[in-house]
């Protein structure tokens, strides 16, 4: 199985100083206004400590559900990343979608495969060409990048050829989608790549 834990070194440590509260309480005992003010301060401090603890628990719950839903990614790599939405995770742990969105913003997960923003695991799906379930867009991008990285400098692959090769791998993808993904990853057109590899050679 998997163990999910927070990096305690990066967490704020907030404690209520009970001895200081007792000392102030003794000094404020004569004044009703001072006692009331001190009580409000104590309540606020206790609320903050509980809120931070609750936030940490929520982060762990959300991360645990992400790992559960994306277990194939952690075992086998990006090619096995599944399409997943905020709603999928929210439904899995009985939370509101907006809470999951807030919890996953600017949070990172470190594992054997590297460091990933939690938002990385949320991806739209593309239908597989073999009639199976949908495949994550990130898995398609990884396959596309590998094809381009491995291409023969003498035989640069056109977008049409990339579509054919991806279809052979089980990705039901259109040429315009290949173009969009290629550009989003900063990968040039076949003409640009041919020129770049000729210069590098």
């Amino acid at each position: 199985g998997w163990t999910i834990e927070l990096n305690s070194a990066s967490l704020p440590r907030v404690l209520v100083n009970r001895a200081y509260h007792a000392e102030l309480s003794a000094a404020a005992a004569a004044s009703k206004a001072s006692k009331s003010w001190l009580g409000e301060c104590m309540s606020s401090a206790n609320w903050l400590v509980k809120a931070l603890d609750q936030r940490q628990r929520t982060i762990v719950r959300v991360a645990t559900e992400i790992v559960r839903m994306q277990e194939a990614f952690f075992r086998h790599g990006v090619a096995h990343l599944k399409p997943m939405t905020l709603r999928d995770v929210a439904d899995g742990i009985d939370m509101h979608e907006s809470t999951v969105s807030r919890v996953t913003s600017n949070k990172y997960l470190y594992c054997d495969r590297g460091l990933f923003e939690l938002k990385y695991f949320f991806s739209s799906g593309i239908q597989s060409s073999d009639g199976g379930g949908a495949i994550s867009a990130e898995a398609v991008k990884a396959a596309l990048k590998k094809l381009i990285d491995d291409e023969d400098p003498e035989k640069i692959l056109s977008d049409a050829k990339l579509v054919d090769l991806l279809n052979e791998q089980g990705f039901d993808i259109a040429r315009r989608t290949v173009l969009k993904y290629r550009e989003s990853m900063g990968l040039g057109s076949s003409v640009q790549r041919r020129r770049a590899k000729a210069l590098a050679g």
Side-chain angles (χ1 to χ4, degrees):
W2 305 97
T3 301
I4 293 93
E5 60 186 15
L6 292 170
N7 177 6
S8 56
S10 68
L11 297 173
R13 186 158 171 76
V14 180
L15 299 169
V16 176
N17 188 329
R18 304 284 171 183
Y20 185 54
H21 175 259
E23 186 182 326
L24 288 176
S25 294
S31 168
K32 192 174 181 181
S34 295
K35 200 170 182 180
S36 174
W37 174 81
L38 195 58
E40 286 175 19
C41 289
M42 188 63 170
S43 294
S44 294
N46 284 331
W47 177 87
L48 179 61
V49 170
K50 285 178 183 173
L52 287 170
D53 181 61
Q54 180 61 43
R55 179 174 176 267
Q56 291 168 15
R57 289 171 191 268
T58 302
I59 291 169
V60 171
R61 277 185 71 194
V62 169
T64 301
E65 184 64 8
I66 290 171
V67 170
R68 187 189 72 76
M69 294 183 76
Q70 297 290 7
E71 184 168 7
F73 163 84
F74 292 98
R75 292 197 184 278
H76 309 294
V78 69
H80 297 269
L81 198 61
K82 297 176 183 173
M84 185 178 74
T85 65
L86 292 168
R87 179 167 290 278
D88 293 333
V89 172
D91 289 347
I93 54 176
D94 198 26
M95 270 185 192
H96 198 276
E97 200 173 331
S98 64
T99 303
V100 174
S101 177
R102 205 164 46 248
V103 163
T104 53
S105 292
N106 302 312
K107 307 290 187 311
Y108 293 81
L109 183 146
Y110 180 70
C111 62
D112 289 345
R113 297 198 177 276
L115 182 67
F116 300 90
E117 189 173 6
L118 287 181
K119 294 284 188 190
Y120 171 82
F121 297 100
F122 297 95
S123 174
S124 57
I126 287 173
Q127 196 59 40
S128 62
S129 58
D130 60 5
I135 300 161
S136 165
E138 290 299 327
V140 179
K141 286 180 184 178
L144 174 61
K145 186 175 186 310
K146 185 169 188 334
L147 285 172
I148 290 174
D149 287 347
D150 295 347
E151 69 188 348
D152 184 340
E154 302 296 319
K155 294 179 182 176
I156 300 297
L157 304 168
S158 67
D159 284 352
K161 184 61 178 172
L162 288 167
V163 168
D164 293 340
L165 292 170
L166 287 167
N167 283 336
E168 286 173 17
Q169 291 184 30
F171 302 117
D172 187 10
I173 189 167
R175 186 174 174 277
R176 67 180 177 278
T177 309
V178 165
L179 172 67
K180 183 177 86 172
Y181 286 177
R182 182 172 54 69
E183 289 180 344
S184 74
M185 292 187 289
L187 301 171
S189 67
S190 57
V191 174
Q192 291 168 325
R193 297 198 310 276
R194 186 176 289 110
R195 189 179 302 133
K197 290 188 180 183
L199 288 171

